[in-house]
Amino acid sequence: MPHAPGSTLQPGSSTTQQRRQHFQPPETPPASDFQRQKYIAKLRRNSRLPTLRMEEKKERNQTLVDVQGQNSVSAETPIPLLTSYKLGKFQLSHRVVLAPLARQRSWNHVPQPHAILYYSQRTTKGGHLITEATGVSDTALGCPNVPGIWTKEQVEAWKPIVDAVHAKGGIFFCQIWHEGRVANTDFWPNGLAPISCTDKPLTPQIQSNGINLTQFPTPRRLTTDEIPQVVNDFRLAARNAMEAGFDGVEIHGAYGFLLDQFMKDEVNDRTDKYGGSLENRCRFPLEVVEAVVNEIGADKVGIRLSPYSTWAEARDSNPKALGIYMVESLNKYRLLYCHMFEPKRETVGEKCECPHSLFPMRKAFNGTFIVAGEYGREDGNRAVAEDRADLIAYGRWFLANPDLPTRFTLNAPLNKHNEETFYTPDPVLGYTDYPFLEDTE
């Protein structure tokens, strides 16, 4: 599976490479409560800089970087990102959101105890967190070690993670997801072909490291009669998320995955009621929204969209019209929020500025509007101050800085993320070992 836009891999240090070579994930997670506590305690010991070797601490300190232009706002001046916000019934203490980030550390698609520490590290009282993309069924996944929420075992595994976030006063939403044709047959039951709105496969693509080539199987076009079953998978996933204790769910309708495939006219070549016109192409995603809203309530439902994104060859000839149509349709369901991705990178290493591309959707949507897209401290503040967004979702900066709201408050330097460890299965390295500000002083 190709990585999301901008996920270029960087060479790791010799120390990092040595630790990766020695790590082998256990075949099964600790079973008893006692074993789990020992396991978590070990992760905690290994996850903070004071317990690392001195050379590793020196190496980490050398990765501290400043966000471009962040010094334009003083630490003493109240800044928009750090103001409170009412998200439906949830009172947020700031507007810095943990974006959903694929981490691929859920062995056998079951969330693991090390996720307790990972998410709790990034929790503040009144902070809003969104989980990594979480599969709605055994046919929703196309890459290794991503979590699911369709089995009882998975639901039970999520519970202590949710409890840890709630114990620190966080608001936690589960992002529910289906990959569609952006999948590998190796991860599908019995080697079946992945499903989509089309039978057109993705062309082989260079991975974000600029070297490896990803091949994609030919997908199977869903029949009209099969689509309600996929809608039902999302509904059941939402129900399971509430059973696990989550505060709500975010429907993943972005990044060229299944729902986005149906919406984009350069992918969707159907001639039935789910293809052709803009209304028809959006019918399936809106059926998912309706089913989830009916199951758990609109006040607990958000959605992520990326009308301008072209990742995984999911392009649309009129992304502005698509985005406006979707948010106007979502208004009918009174969704809690719409979370939109604003692309600022056409290819690896190339950034483009498009600060107002989402503004028409922001104006058209009646609920909370969250934006994401390589924001830093300064442009995040500006987006809130100019009323182009209510909340800003941070991905890689939050991944590498578990205390990101504190650093933004103090205008402190930020840890640089190590992209080589984004998707490794190590339960500590590149996951829970990023230093807090007090560890670097």
Side-chain angles (χ1 to χ4, degrees):
M1 169 184 162
H3 302 312
S7 298
T8 53
L9 302 183
Q10 302 294 336
S13 66
S14 58
T15 303
T16 294
Q17 290 170 345
Q18 289 170 3
R19 290 185 66 182
R20 287 188 63 188
Q21 289 170 358
H22 292 310
F23 173 74
Q24 292 293 332
E27 295 183 1
T28 58
S32 69
D33 289 341
F34 176 71
Q35 289 173 323
R36 282 179 181 270
Q37 291 302 319
K38 289 183 62 178
Y39 176 67
I40 295 169
K42 181 179 180 181
L43 294 182
R44 288 186 183 276
R45 288 196 300 272
N46 291 335
S47 67
R48 301 293 292 272
L49 267 180
T51 66
L52 298 178
R53 294 190 298 271
M54 289 303 295
E55 62 267 28
E56 290 183 85
K57 181 171 183 177
K58 181 179 179 181
E59 178 185 345
R60 275 294 190 195
N61 287 341
Q62 291 174 344
T63 68
L64 290 173
V65 296
D66 290 319
V67 176
Q68 184 177 3
Q70 67 178 9
N71 293 325
S72 63
V73 182
S74 70
E76 292 77 20
T77 304
I79 62 174
L81 279 172
L82 278 302
T83 57
S84 61
Y85 181 79
K86 195 75 160 61
L87 176 64
K89 64 183 180 182
F90 306 108
Q91 183 61 55
L92 305 186
S93 61
H94 57 79
R95 301 174 186 240
V96 180
V97 177
L98 175 65
L101 295 162
R103 303 313 315 274
Q104 296 186 214
R105 287 163 168 85
S106 297
W107 307 321
N108 299 319
H109 305 306
V110 177
Q112 298 297 308
H114 44 255
I116 297 172
L117 181 57
Y118 172 77
Y119 283 107
S120 64
Q121 282 179 329
R122 287 154 183 81
T123 302
T124 53
K125 184 177 181 179
H128 182 33
L129 298 85
I130 308 168
T131 71
E132 57 210 287
T134 302
V136 300
S137 69
D138 61 351
T139 62
L141 309 176
C143 53
N145 300 322
V146 292
I149 196 161
W150 71 88
T151 71
K152 183 68 174 175
E153 180 185 13
Q154 292 164 340
V155 171
E156 292 301 315
W158 274 116
K159 287 182 178 180
I161 304 169
V162 176
D163 289 345
V165 171
H166 285 163
K168 295 182 70 173
I171 292 90
F172 205 14
F173 274 52
C174 181
Q175 189 187 67
I176 53 177
W177 163 70
H178 196 301
E179 285 203 49
R181 69 172 183 168
V182 189
N184 190 313
T185 304
D186 293 343
F187 301 102
W188 268 58
N190 302 317
L192 297 173
I195 58 175
S196 181
C197 60
T198 180
D199 55 11
K200 296 182 298 185
L202 281 167
T203 58
Q205 297 187 19
I206 297 291
Q207 291 182 5
S208 52
N209 61 9
I211 301 173
N212 298 329
L213 189 69
T214 298
Q215 302 280 351
F216 296 93
T218 299
R220 182 177 65 82
R221 186 191 303 267
L222 278 169
T223 67
T224 304
D225 293 339
E226 289 176 309
I227 289 177
Q229 178 56 54
V230 182
V231 172
N232 194 55
D233 289 339
F234 276 90
R235 181 187 67 82
L236 293 176
R239 176 195 289 180
N240 289 341
M242 301 312 295
E243 182 181 342
F246 284 102
D247 298 296
V249 301
E250 177 178 285
I251 299 167
H252 198 334
Y255 288 165
F257 296 121
L258 184 61
L259 272 61
D260 201 32
Q261 292 160 30
F262 271 80
M263 285 185 272
K264 301 291 180 64
D265 60 10
E266 291 194 22
V267 181
N268 189 333
D269 57 0
R270 303 176 73 93
T271 58
D272 62 3
K273 67 178 182 178
Y274 293 101
S277 68
L278 179 58
E279 179 182 5
N280 282 356
R281 286 184 279 115
C282 294
R283 187 186 305 277
F284 168 52
L286 291 173
E287 287 179 350
V288 169
V289 169
E290 182 173 9
V292 171
V293 165
N294 288 342
E295 182 65 35
I296 67 172
D299 61 333
K300 295 183 275 298
V301 180
I303 189 170
R304 195 177 211 199
L305 301 172
S306 59
Y308 286 95
S309 174
T310 60
W311 190 66
E313 299 178 356
R315 300 177 179 85
D316 194 81
S317 60
N318 193 341
K320 180 179 178 180
L322 170 61
I324 292 175
Y325 177 83
M326 277 298 295
V327 297
E328 288 179 343
S329 299
L330 293 172
N331 285 337
K332 302 172 186 176
Y333 299 100
R334 300 181 179 273
L335 247 61
L336 178 63
Y337 70 79
C338 179
H339 178 185
M340 277 207 180
F341 174 74
E342 183 176 52
K344 296 181 181 178
R345 190 185 298 267
E346 294 296 330
T347 60
V348 171
E350 294 183 10
K351 293 186 68 176
C352 60
E353 292 299 327
C354 50
H356 301 295
S357 62
L358 300 181
F359 194 57
M361 296 105 202
R362 195 286 195 270
K363 290 194 299 183
F365 186 62
N366 293 338
T368 293
F369 198 73
I370 306 175
V371 297
E374 302 191 38
Y375 279 86
R377 183 177 185 265
E378 181 181 14
D379 51 0
N381 280 321
R382 191 164 55 244
V384 174
E386 295 174 359
D387 199 34
R388 289 187 280 113
D390 298 305
L391 308 173
I392 311 295
Y394 289 88
R396 287 176 290 180
W397 286 125
F398 221 146
L399 177 156
N401 297 272
D403 53 355
L404 186 64
T406 298
R407 291 178 186 253
F408 279 175
T409 300
L410 300 175
N411 200 12
L414 303 183
N415 303 317
K416 181 177 174 58
H417 48 265
N418 178 5
E419 299 189 21
E420 184 178 299
T421 61
F422 277 4
Y423 311 110
T424 62
D426 193 309
V428 175
L429 183 64
Y431 191 58
T432 58
D433 64 343
Y434 281 104
F436 286 72
L437 189 59
E438 67 260 26
D439 295 330
T440 64
E441 295 176 344

